[in-house]
Amino acid sequence: MMTSRQVQLVDILCLPTLLLTLDPRALYQIITEARHLSLLGQLKTACELDGIWDELPLFMQQQLISGFHSFEKQKQALIFEHQELKLQFKNVLPSWRYIRGSALQFSEIEMFKGRIKNNIDILISENHVDAVLDQLLNHGWRYKNITDYEETFYCRWSNQTMPLIHKERRTELAIHFHLLPKTLKHKLDEAPLLHHHTSPIIAHPATLLSPETMVLHQAIMMFNQVDFRYGLRDLYDLHLQFTYFGKQRLFWHNLIQLHQQIGKDNSLYMALGLCHELFALKIPDEMLQFLNQHPSHRFIFWLYKERFSEVMRNAFPKYQSADYRFAVKSLRFRGRLKRMPLYAILPHIIKTQIINLMPHEEDEEIIY
């Protein structure tokens, strides 16, 4: 049995009943870690679904409820902003797709409740970008404070416009015109990711990605990024989606088929492998057979497994060690290799280090 000193948030997310074995001091430690990683609301949902909510101490319940209230406020704000976007896009854009955290909040699935998002993410076709930006910039939105270099970075390497922020409500909006980063366009075909969608009434006239597309897209984005501050939350999102959607009759079949259509990528292997490693995800035989057809993916997973586990287990400052700092630097460099050509990386590192040392405005974007 684990001692109180050894139990961390990742252990609780895997097995919420461990909370019942902890003393008050250890419970406060879990609360602090969950708050730091924006997982308080989701921890409340996990405890309820595991049937242990009524057995938790009152102070623990109060803290988890406060985190869940933040989610409820975000959800109300998202619905309000959706109505505002409908008005703004009425004569400009017939439909759009919510992706990432926004999609999880719109999905209305019990298991996903409590998930805090950083901003509103929407996907539109590239030929609508100029008209949409003109409409928003003339109706209360502005670009986030950003340096000239960061503007160049977004234009050259990103799959989205520069982030927007509403002048009064302070809502942040990310407008994507591709699902995948530009550097992956020559390696992967994103067209199959756009073939299927779901249409919840609450999001009309916008849509969401289909379950298998949502999962695969999130996996690809996660393992092609440079910043893993919220890596545990992002991986937990994937675990919940694998668990929930995996019960649907054709989910695993559709996921395999979609993965074959987009091209060679090891992100799904990494996602499933780490979900199994950290959350004891049960992977069905048909998916295991498919994954085992790719020995190179298995090698990459073996090569990076410990580093990804390190950054996801120990993102809370108290647990950060020399191993953690090495893993962060290593994975950040790996992410840069995936986001831009090799020749651009060293100048990028130098410029961003200089820029990030300068004083930043309250809402200024940080580029890694």
Side-chain angles (χ1 to χ4, degrees), residues 247-265:
K247 296 174 183 176
Q248 297 177 1
R249 187 171 63 89
L250 293 176
F251 171 75
W252 295 106
H253 169 80
N254 291 342
L255 183 57
I256 290 171
Q257 192 173 57
L258 182 62
H259 190 275
Q260 291 172 324
Q261 290 171 350
I262 67 165
K264 295 181 180 180
D265 180 77

Side-chain angles (χ1 to χ4, degrees), residues 114-182:
R115 207 292 192 179
I116 297 292
K117 59 180 178 54
N118 299 331
N119 52 26
I120 298 174
D121 289 274
I122 66 172
L123 173 71
I124 67 175
S125 62
E126 193 166 7
N127 59 348
H128 283 106
V129 168
D130 290 342
V132 165
L133 287 176
D134 285 345
Q135 183 71 8
L136 293 174
L137 293 171
N138 287 319
H139 291 85
W141 296 82
R142 66 169 175 82
Y143 291 118
K144 287 186 70 173
N145 290 320
I146 197 164
T147 66
D148 290 340
Y149 174 69
E150 289 165 335
E151 181 176 350
T152 302
F153 173 86
Y154 271 102
C155 292
R156 184 173 296 176
W157 306 119
S158 183
N159 58 327
Q160 66 184 75
T161 68
M162 290 182 292
L164 300 175
I165 187 167
H166 196 274
K167 295 175 184 176
E168 297 176 0
R169 300 190 295 272
R170 311 300 292 174
T171 306
E172 295 186 23
L173 178 66
I175 300 175
H176 302 253
F177 47 85
H178 287 295
L179 273 175
L180 302 179
K182 288 181 179 179

